[in-house]
């Protein structure tokens, strides 16, 4: 099993967050990630449009246990750190299915290409009034 890890790269000017998740997560790992993401969102102050645009790359993430998938679902449902647009990047069909199940009702999209995911985020954002 690969040790879980993450990186969070905020772009304050564009209200954009690039996240990378990798390895096999435990519930405690998710809670550490959630706390750090909340700190980043607070520092960014990007609530005036409903949260940042977010792309999350999970290509380095292992297939997760059902308990962890369930906890990710609770994380994604938490309004305290919602993104106004959310895209995931993955290469695995099974990971894609887990993401779709965990993010049900969030309007998130799943891509296999990071550039395509970011283009989708910003194209949609540009068409909305500020």
């Amino acid at each position: 099993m690969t040790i879980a890890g993450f990186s969070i790269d905020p772009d304050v000017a564009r209200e954009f967050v690039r996240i990378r998740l990798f390895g096999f997560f435990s519930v405690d790992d998710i809670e550490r990630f959630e706390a750090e993401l909340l700190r980043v969102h607070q520092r960014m102050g990007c609530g005036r449009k409903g949260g940042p645009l977010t792309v999350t790359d999970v290509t380095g993430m292992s297939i997760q246990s059902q308990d962890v998938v369930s906890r990710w679902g609770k994380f994604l449902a938490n309004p305290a750190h919602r993104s106004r647009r959310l895209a995931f990047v993955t290469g695995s069909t099974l990971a894609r299915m887990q993401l779709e199940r965990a993010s049900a009702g969030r309007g998130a999209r799943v891509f296999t290409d990071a550039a395509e995911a970011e283009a989708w985020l910003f194209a949609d954002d540009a068409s909305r009034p500020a």
Side-chain angles (χ1 to χ4, degrees), residues 53-105:
L53 299 171
T54 303
V55 64
T56 303
D57 184 331
V58 297
T59 56
M61 203 170 187
S62 304
I63 299 304
Q64 305 296 304
S65 71
Q66 289 304 309
D67 288 346
V68 168
V69 171
S70 176
R71 180 59 178 89
W72 278 120
K74 290 176 185 170
F75 163 81
L76 289 166
N78 183 346
H81 50 72
R82 287 182 79 83
S83 297
R84 72 180 175 269
R85 299 287 289 166
L86 176 60
F88 291 99
V89 180
T90 186
S92 160
T93 302
L94 184 53
R96 180 184 196 97
M97 290 186 321
Q98 284 188 329
L99 280 169
E100 289 170 348
R101 184 169 60 245
S103 66

Side-chain angles (χ1 to χ4, degrees), residues 7-84:
S7 65
I8 303 171
D9 181 24
D11 180 337
V12 177
R14 297 190 311 158
E15 293 188 359
F16 172 63
V17 178
R18 181 178 290 112
I19 297 169
R20 190 172 70 87
L21 304 173
F22 53 90
F24 191 81
F25 278 71
S26 68
V27 170
D28 289 341
D29 294 325
I30 297 169
E31 290 171 2
R32 275 194 350 267
F33 168 74
E34 184 172 23
E36 180 60 24
L37 184 62
L38 285 170
R39 282 190 287 276
V40 167
H41 283 177
Q42 288 170 345
R43 283 193 312 261
M44 289 180 74
C46 51
R48 66 182 191 275
K49 289 185 181 177
L53 299 171
T54 303
V55 64
T56 303
D57 184 331
V58 297
T59 56
M61 203 170 187
S62 304
I63 299 304
Q64 305 296 304
S65 71
Q66 289 304 309
D67 288 346
V68 168
V69 171
S70 176
R71 180 59 178 89
W72 278 120
K74 290 176 185 170
F75 163 81
L76 289 166
N78 183 346
H81 50 72
R82 287 182 79 83
S83 297
R84 72 180 175 269

